[in-house]
Amino acid sequence: MFPRSTACRGAQRALSARAVHPSQRRGLAAPASGSFQYQSGEAKGLKFASRDLAGQTTTLALVAKAGTRYQPLPGLTEGLEKFAFTNTERRSTLRIVRESELLGAELNAYHTRENLVLEAKFLRDDLPYFVELFGEVASSTRYLPHVYNEEVLPLIHLAHKKFLASVTDIAVNSVHSLAFHRGLGVPTASSSTTPYTKYLHPETIDWYSKIAFAKSNFAVVANGADHGDLSKWVGQFFDDVRATPTEATSEGTEQSKYYGGEERIAHNGGNAYIIGFPGSSSFTGNFYKPEIAVLSALLGGTSSIKWSPGFSILGNAKASPGTQVKTTSAIYSDAGLLYTTITGQAKNVALTAKAAVEAIQKIAAGQISKEDIQKAKAAAKFKELEHGQDVKAGLELTGAGLVHGSKAYQIDEVAKAVDGVTEQGLKAAAKSLLESKASVSAVGDLFVLPYAEEIGLKV
Amino acid sequence: MSRPSAGPFIMARPWLKKWVQPLSNWYNNAAGYRQLGLKVDDLIPEENDVVQLALKRLPPKEAYDRVWRLRRALQCSVAHQLLPKEEWTKPEEDERYLSPIIQEIESELKEREDLEAMVLSKRKQNAKEAGAGH
């Protein structure tokens, strides 16, 4: 143990330094280097962006506007995702796998509600190889029936099983479908076998690939690549990709509308209770509200500090330490959902749900200390900036920003917006949550889990 | 398994094709499978992994038709009879529906073998750098 005087002196010095030179402190929002900034460009109609982080590795992503929101038939996004990096006209699956292994690369494909992302991580020198590979995957993947039957379908079926086993997944998808109905409300995994037994065929996936992988519908984003190099290779290897979709689909393109409501699903694999409210769109969208990010940090639930429940209201108000609470501000291109997920024992979940509603009422009434708001703002800003530094999230957001609004996601500006949140704004935001209809989804032991009306919510 | 065939060699040379075609037609008719309503690919021995996989990859309709043809032929064989002439397989119907799939699987297997036997060599640029380091 070090003597108390030393520790105190250090703390005092830190405090006084802050007090004396507040203006000299460089805010997190204004990093000295411009490394957070993506440079964007366009090569033969294809949008791309890159930032040259110092380092030996590169992460390359192809972000297509083909998430579950935009799929014209259920299951198409999943099908397309699972078909990524399989046989193309020029190379077999095995060759792609072996070649990537030899280069020490990682290949990955995943989808979110709005985007389908193909991702490759590799050594910096191998950029041309992977840009070429992405060009091939986008333009000439062969959607063969036997690959579908032997490899793709079992994976989709497993995803379905996994989805059914997880109460949290079911609740999250249920709350989205309550909030947005179609479009953003479409579940990210098949909730029944109907989508892939009834609608999904290799020919349909092939047809959809010609829409999803048209130049106007996807963007290429690189982290840790020289912008000049990327623009050169992108210009060279994406010639075979069609410029416009074969068919214009309107699915999911209309402005998302918030509905709200309540859904209760019996499940014996645990308990999950989600309370959702209309949230903020992404920064590149038109409905950006920085207050929601701060509100989400203020409600919180999970602690970012060890050995402490954290400052967040729900972190302190939850019924037992074993109850898990997490507030998420899910942002999409033109809408958002602020939701609190509560999992644990049914009784504790019910108590915590009540506490969550009370917490929002408290914020709306302005009964929150200034200090807590300060902490929440700092946490929200940190989360945002960290999220941006996190390569994976940054890639998807940037790609989506390019495809949707030809604007790359600029983290610095987001952080600045979070800084500008006032106490009044926060109060107003909380009030507006309570006035709007909530989306409440209960999965698990329905005997114990409360109805939305019982905990004081309007649905 | 796909059989070794002089077909491609002959098809590539029109003069040779003109010579051999009548012979081939005669042979195919004399082989007798058409009189039982079979197609030439029905005769490929199926007791091995490659053909089994190829059969799995057949489109459902093709697979159904194949089984139907085989059963009809077996029935004929048991009864020591040929089909009535109008039900014989016509030469233009006698297409190869299974061989392309078998060839594809074989080329997949061959590629796998080739990749297993691959010898790695350093890229010239990297080799130079490594050499300079020592």
Side-chain angles (χ1 to χ4, degrees), chain B residues 39-101:
Chain B
K39 293 183 179 181
V40 66
D41 275 0
D42 294 336
L43 306 181
I44 299 173
E46 60 172 77
E47 290 84 6
N48 62 68
D49 292 346
V50 174
V51 181
Q52 283 300 318
L53 188 61
L55 289 176
K56 259 188 214 147
R57 288 185 184 182
L58 277 180
K61 174 83 169 82
E62 291 268 21
Y64 180 88
D65 286 354
R66 173 192 157 85
V67 172
W68 187 77
R69 282 195 305 272
L70 288 174
R71 296 190 72 161
R72 184 175 60 172
L74 187 70
Q75 199 59 40
C76 288
S77 168
V78 167
H80 292 280
Q81 274 180 350
L82 295 182
L83 284 174
K85 196 158 187 181
E86 62 275 13
E87 287 183 36
W88 291 5
T89 309
K90 294 172 191 70
E92 62 273 16
E93 283 172 2
D94 191 8
E95 85 275 9
R96 303 184 143 245
Y97 64 96
L98 193 59
S99 306
I101 305 179

Side-chain angles (χ1 to χ4, degrees), chain A residues 87 91-95 98 102-103 125-126 142 144-147 149-150, chain B residues 53 56-57 101 104 108 111-116 118 120 123 125-126 129:
Chain A
N87 295 327
R91 276 183 274 200
S92 67
T93 313
L94 184 70
R95 184 163 287 273
R98 289 295 169 88
L102 281 175
L103 296 174
D125 293 343
D126 303 326
R142 299 170 70 200
L144 299 169
H146 72 265
V147 177
N149 288 324
E150 289 169 18
Chain B
L53 188 61
K56 259 188 214 147
R57 288 185 184 182
I101 305 179
E104 200 178 300
E108 272 173 32
E111 189 182 25
R112 188 173 285 269
E113 289 291 315
D114 289 351
L115 283 169
E116 299 290 357
M118 181 169 51
L120 288 184
R123 273 187 222 160
Q125 189 196 346
N126 291 0
E129 278 170 18

Side-chain angles (χ1 to χ4, degrees), chain A residues 17-303:
Chain A
R18 184 172 289 188
V20 175
H21 315 286
S23 61
Q24 282 181 4
R25 250 173 81 241
R26 183 162 49 76
L28 274 172
S33 71
S35 62
F36 267 177
Q37 303 277 347
Y38 276 94
Q39 269 181 295
S40 54
E42 198 170 323
K44 298 184 189 166
L46 174 64
K47 291 179 195 123
F48 63 92
S50 72
R51 62 177 176 185
D52 196 357
L53 293 177
Q56 288 299 310
T57 60
T58 304
T59 311
L60 184 70
L62 187 156
V63 184
K65 189 177 150 189
T68 44
R69 171 178 182 173
Y70 299 107
Q71 60 186 14
L73 288 172
L76 279 180
T77 298
E78 267 189 298
L80 215 51
E81 176 208 318
K82 309 287 192 241
F83 258 117
F85 305 116
T86 57
N87 295 327
T88 67
E89 298 291 348
R90 287 181 49 210
R91 276 183 274 200
S92 67
T93 313
L94 184 70
R95 184 163 287 273
I96 292 175
V97 169
R98 289 295 169 88
E99 284 179 352
S100 312
E101 270 180 351
L102 281 175
L103 296 174
E106 274 177 32
L107 297 178
N108 186 16
Y110 58 92
H111 71 274
T112 56
R113 264 168 219 286
E114 292 196 314
N115 301 305
L116 170 69
V117 185
L118 313 183
E119 191 187 72
K121 295 184 204 167
F122 46 85
L123 296 172
R124 195 176 258 263
D125 293 343
D126 303 326
L127 182 68
Y129 173 84
F130 286 95
V131 178
E132 189 186 8
L133 177 63
F134 275 30
E136 250 183 78
V137 170
S139 64
S140 57
T141 298
R142 299 170 70 200
Y143 298 90
L144 299 169
H146 72 265
V147 177
Y148 175 73
N149 288 324
E150 289 169 18
E151 283 153 38
V152 173
L153 203 54
L155 284 176
I156 295 180
H157 188 62
L158 276 181
H160 160 65
K161 290 273 187 204
K162 194 177 155 209
F163 175 80
L164 282 190
S166 157
V167 280
T168 321
D169 280 356
I170 295 179
V172 167
N173 281 294
S174 145
V175 86
H176 274 88
S177 70
L178 286 171
F180 301 113
H181 290 191
R182 292 174 191 279
L184 280 174
V186 174
T188 48
S190 307
S191 45
S192 80
T193 54
T194 318
Y196 55 87
T197 47
K198 193 169 167 195
Y199 300 104
L200 210 55
H201 302 284
E203 306 91 70
T204 342
I205 302 176
D206 189 15
W207 166 78
Y208 187 50
S209 79
K210 297 200 169 72
I211 295 167
F213 293 137
K215 277 182 184 172
S216 56
N217 265 345
F218 71 88
V220 176
V221 190
N223 230 309
D226 182 57
H227 195 69
D229 281 352
L230 183 69
S231 101
K232 180 178 151 205
W233 299 124
V234 166
Q236 193 170 329
F237 289 127
F238 281 85
D239 282 345
D240 295 341
V241 180
R242 58 184 67 235
T244 46
T246 44
E247 225 176 285
T249 52
S250 61
E251 197 63 42
T253 47
E254 63 273 10
Q255 168 66 40
S256 299
K257 186 169 170 264
Y258 180 86
Y259 294 90
E262 184 175 20
E263 185 171 35
R264 293 163 68 78
I265 302 166
H267 201 288
N268 61 0
N271 302 286
Y273 199 84
I274 296 193
I275 304 169
F277 299 101
S280 151
S281 77
S282 86
F283 183 68
T284 47
N286 295 327
F287 299 89
Y288 179 64
K289 285 175 268 183
E291 291 85 14
I292 298 291
V294 181
L295 201 55
S296 143
L298 188 58
L299 286 172
T302 39
S303 172

